[in-house]
Amino acid sequence: MSKTILITGTSSGYGKATAEHFLRSGWNVIATMRRPDPDVFDAPISRLRVLPLDVTSEQNIAVLIEAAGPIDVLVNNAGIGGVGAFEAMPMSLIRQLFATNTIGVMAMCQAVIPQMRERRSGMIVNVTSSVTLGEFPLAAAYTASKQAVEGFTASLAHELRYFGVGARLVEPGYAPTTKFGANAVVPVQDLLLGEYAEFALPILEAFARPTLMTRETDVAEAIWAAVHDTTEQLRFPAGADAVALAEAHSQADCASLFGSKGVNSEAGA
């Protein structure tokens, strides 16, 4: 019998690529998005269900879990971006970041854990970012929302292991082809005070011309590896830039990737 994976944030980018990857491999896929659009995927497939989900709504999550039925794997991919000077970011927008990127992940985990614990099987994969692997300027609040998920998942993995349930992290790098910018809470130019312009310009230019980057398929493959992992490995960097950062991080040498005025163009986000 085919297993079932539930993936949040599948309207584009990493989530869509992951849904397609698992569909090609014979899985049943529940693809969720705020505004369901089956046409996102190339052709109707009997093993695919596209369902509505707002991860910031507990009621919406409860309705989804009831409709979904048994879930073997949960992938928390839904998220919003936030790039700009922290000084210029209203607290209301910071709360939005945490509501989706952090609390939304926790709420989805809490919703599926009971059935996985009862079955003594299951896997949760939380998608964060390579900002957790290096110090990225102009991403303070966003980084905090993703770092919180890293700590949460590391602790959760210990709790769930006792019941035969896994928890893993996938850390994607920077992929210009995704809609990260489009999903930002406000455009970056609105979160740059004039005083930050000179500092920010070389950083933004570097991100516009990355020499190492992440492909959507890199993330789908990393999620596949995390789902099938039997070694208790917690973190799975995804993409050439994320892998480079992870290797530097493991050597306590992340600082070497950054200049005094900004971020190296090889850094991912």
Side-chain angles (χ1 to χ4, degrees):
M1 179 181 294
S2 297
K3 291 187 175 183
T4 297
I5 184 171
L6 190 158
I7 309 167
T8 68
T10 60
S11 61
S12 64
Y14 303 149
K16 179 176 182 288
T18 300
E20 292 171 340
H21 187 97
F22 277 80
L23 282 169
R24 287 193 298 270
S25 300
W27 282 59
N28 299 315
V29 174
I30 300 172
T32 73
M33 54 190 78
R34 279 178 172 268
R35 291 173 290 277
D37 180 7
D39 293 336
V40 163
F41 300 95
D42 294 336
I45 302 173
S46 61
R47 289 181 286 102
L48 170 67
R49 283 192 287 165
V50 179
L51 298 178
L53 175 64
D54 176 357
V55 298
T56 68
S57 167
E58 291 184 27
Q59 181 179 5
N60 204 228
I61 291 173
V63 170
L64 170 73
I65 296 301
E66 180 67 24
I71 298 165
D72 298 291
V73 173
L74 166 67
V75 175
N76 281 309
N77 168 74
I80 55 177
V83 179
F86 178 74
E87 179 183 349
M89 184 172 286
M91 287 304 301
S92 60
L93 298 184
I94 294 172
R95 291 188 178 95
Q96 272 186 264
L97 281 172
F98 275 84
T100 298
N101 296 355
T102 310
I103 304 301
V105 169
M106 292 179 174
M108 285 299 298
C109 289
Q110 200 167 65
V112 303
I113 286 171
Q115 59 171 279
M116 292 182 175
R117 172 179 50 75
E118 290 172 5
R119 290 197 308 266
R120 295 299 197 269
S121 68
M123 180 65 75
I124 295 171
V125 178
N126 293 331
V127 179
T128 58
S129 168
S130 62
V131 298
T132 63
L133 300 171
E135 298 77 22
F136 287 84
L138 302 178
Y142 175 76
T143 299
S145 73
K146 293 295 189 177
Q147 286 282 20
V149 174
E150 294 257 329
F152 163 72
T153 307
S155 179
L156 185 67
H158 286 285
E159 295 180 26
L160 298 184
R161 188 176 300 132
Y162 179 82
F163 299 101
V165 178
R168 304 287 188 269
L169 288 161
V170 167
E171 301 160 325
Y174 177 54
T177 57
T178 67
K179 294 184 178 180
F180 176 86
N183 290 338
V185 285
V186 293
V188 63
Q189 59 266 27
D190 293 347
L191 289 177
L192 286 177
L193 299 176
E195 289 82 354
Y196 285 88
E198 184 178 354
F199 166 79
L201 184 60
I203 297 170
L204 298 177
E205 287 179 345
F207 277 112
R209 297 189 302 274
T211 55
L212 289 177
M213 66 184 70
T214 295
R215 301 168 301 175
E216 295 170 9
T217 53
D218 292 333
V219 180
E221 290 166 4
I223 290 172
W224 177 267
V227 167
H228 293 87
D229 174 66
T230 60
T231 68
E232 304 297 340
Q233 178 179 333
L234 177 63
R235 293 177 171 84
F236 292 77
D241 51 336
V243 170
L245 275 171
E247 291 174 350
H249 188 268
S250 67
Q251 300 167 10
D253 191 32
C254 279
S256 68
L257 294 180
F258 300 91
S260 59
K261 294 185 178 180
V263 60
N264 184 292
S265 62
E266 293 187 357

